[in-house]
Amino acid sequence: MRDLFRRGLVIPAHPLALTEDRKLDERRQRALTRYYVEAGAGGLAVGVHTTQFAIHGTGLLAPVLELAAGTARDSGREVVLVAGATGSTEQAVAEAELARSLGYHMVLLSPYRELDEDGLIERARAVGEVLPVIGFYLQPAVGGRPLSREFWTRLAAIESVVGVKVAPFDRYRTLDVLHGVVRAGRAGEVALYTGNDDHILADLITSHRVIVDGRQVEVEFVGGLLGQWAVWVRRAVELLEEATMARAGDDAAVRRLLGLDGHLTDANAAIFDSANGFRGCIPGIHEVLRRQGLLAGRWCLDPEEELSPGQLAEIDRIWAAYPWLRDDDFVAEGLDRWLA
C-alpha cells in the first residue's frame, strides 16, 4: 500500500452522512464509499475534518471507520485506507490502534494546539509505532497552526512518516514543507499530497526544484487528499490522470489544466465558503452531494453548522458556470446501485 500511495492517488476526505435527527445514516454512508471507489479513487480518508472532527468525541468514530473499511473491502478493489487521528498523544495513539484493528493502512495526524513542535514530533513518533503516518499542515482557519520549516525537516526524517498532506492555503508555508522534506533527505520516500483547495491543479502540474546546501532536488505533488475531492470525484480522477501527463511533459495538458485551475478554485471558494472564513465548508460539500442524490440533506452534528448567508447563491452560480467540473451523469448512472 505504501508503493500505491507513493505513486499518487485521488483520496477523497470522506463526509459523514446523517439523518434529519443527526444520527448516522448507514445506507448513505455506504453509498458515498461505493461512489468514491467506483469513481476511481485510490484511497479514502475517514475521520478527518470533512468527516467532522466532532465524531472523535461522540462514539461515532469506530462505526464510521468500520463502515468505510468494510464497504471498501467489499468492492474488490485495492484501496488505501487512511484514518484521521486527533487530540493528545494518548488519544492519537489509541485512535491509530483502533484504525489498525479495522484494517486501515495509514494515519493522517491532525495538528494539536496544546503541544509545541517538540511535542508534536514525539506524538508523531508514538503514532508511527502503530501505523505509518501522514503529516498534515492544516490551515489556521479550520484548526491548524503555523509550523516552522525545521519542524517539517524533523517530521519528514521520521522513518514511519510516509507522506504529508500540504493544506496551509499559503504558498510560503507550502514551500516550508517542500524544503523540509528535501532537507530530511527523504524526497523519494515521503509522498506529497496537495490539500491546498485554492491551488489544486497548479500544485499537481508543478515540478518544484528545491535547492538546499547547493543541491537541487526536484519534488512534486503526486496526488490529492482533499475535501474538494469529496465531490465530483470521477472528474477528479480524470484531472489527476491529466496532471500526471502534464508533469511528464505533455504541454497541451499543462495549458488545459492551467485554464481549468481558476474554474476549480472559484468553485471551491463557493463550496468551501472562503468569503466567510470557511465556516460553511462542510455544509457546502453536503449541499453538492445532496443535489446529486448521494445525501438526503446538509445536516451536520452541530445544528448551528449551516451554509453562510449568500453561500447557496454562490453554489448556484458555480453549478451553472462550470458543468465540466461535475460528474452528474456518472452519479446518476450508479446512484440506485450504491444506495441498494
Side-chain angles (χ1 to χ4, degrees), residues 32-322:
L32 283 175
T33 303
R34 290 167 178 160
Y35 159 50
Y36 296 144
V37 173
E38 285 199 28
L44 297 170
V46 190
V48 295
H49 174 249
T50 303
T51 324
Q52 300 176 55
F53 281 144
I55 71 168
H56 292 263
T58 62
L60 278 174
L61 181 62
V64 169
L65 289 176
E66 186 172 10
L67 203 56
T71 305
R73 279 193 295 270
D74 290 345
S75 74
R77 280 195 58 224
E78 202 171 39
V79 178
V80 175
L81 296 174
V82 178
T86 65
S88 66
T89 300
E90 182 180 8
Q91 178 182 339
V93 168
E95 291 180 352
E97 289 172 341
L98 169 65
R100 182 178 63 183
S101 74
L102 295 172
Y104 280 74
H105 306 112
M106 301 171 186
V107 167
L108 179 66
L109 191 54
S110 296
Y112 184 55
R113 290 181 178 274
E114 303 304 315
L115 294 174
D116 61 14
E117 290 190 355
D118 289 340
L120 291 174
I121 292 294
E122 292 310 309
R123 176 173 172 254
R125 291 187 192 279
V127 172
E129 292 179 4
V130 181
L131 280 175
V133 168
I134 304 169
F136 189 2
Y137 206 164
L138 178 64
Q139 62 153 324
V142 292
R145 57 189 276 193
L147 294 162
S148 70
R149 187 168 292 192
E150 176 61 22
F151 170 82
W152 294 108
T153 304
R154 294 170 65 195
L155 184 79
I158 299 172
E159 189 175 350
S160 59
V161 172
V162 296
V164 179
K165 173 180 174 173
V166 187
F169 288 33
D170 183 306
R171 305 319 297 161
Y172 301 114
R173 292 172 181 170
T174 294
L175 287 174
D176 284 340
V177 179
L178 305 187
H179 279 256
V181 170
V182 171
R183 287 180 177 184
R186 298 194 67 223
E189 302 166 69
V190 176
L192 295 172
Y193 274 70
T194 183
N196 287 320
D197 299 83
D198 63 341
H199 208 70
I200 297 169
L201 296 179
D203 270 352
L204 289 173
I205 66 174
T206 304
S207 293
H208 298 269
R209 293 173 176 86
V210 176
I211 299 173
V212 173
D213 299 327
R215 297 180 298 113
Q216 180 173 281
V217 180
E218 190 166 294
V219 291
E220 58 190 23
F221 287 93
V222 298
L225 199 168
L226 292 151
Q228 176 61 41
W229 282 358
V231 304
W232 305 337
V233 181
R234 186 61 189 160
R235 288 293 292 123
V237 170
E238 294 166 354
L239 289 169
L240 179 59
E241 290 171 353
E242 196 162 1
T244 303
M245 293 189 295
R247 290 200 309 272
D250 187 331
D251 289 342
V254 172
R255 289 193 295 273
R256 170 172 160 73
L257 292 178
L258 284 175
L260 292 178
D261 185 52
H263 298 176
L264 186 56
T265 300
D266 190 29
N268 176 264
I271 296 167
F272 271 53
D273 192 28
S274 65
N276 297 288
F278 304 96
R279 285 190 292 274
C281 63
I282 293 174
I285 291 168
H286 289 186
E287 171 62 16
V288 173
L289 296 170
R290 185 199 66 79
R291 291 183 183 206
Q292 292 185 308
L294 285 155
L295 291 183
R298 295 192 298 264
W299 307 298
C300 296
L301 289 170
D302 179 356
E304 300 300 315
E305 193 165 5
E306 245 296 356
L307 296 177
S308 294
Q311 188 181 358
L312 189 60
E314 274 295 283
I315 293 174
D316 287 340
R317 178 185 65 80
I318 61 97
W319 196 275
Y322 309 122

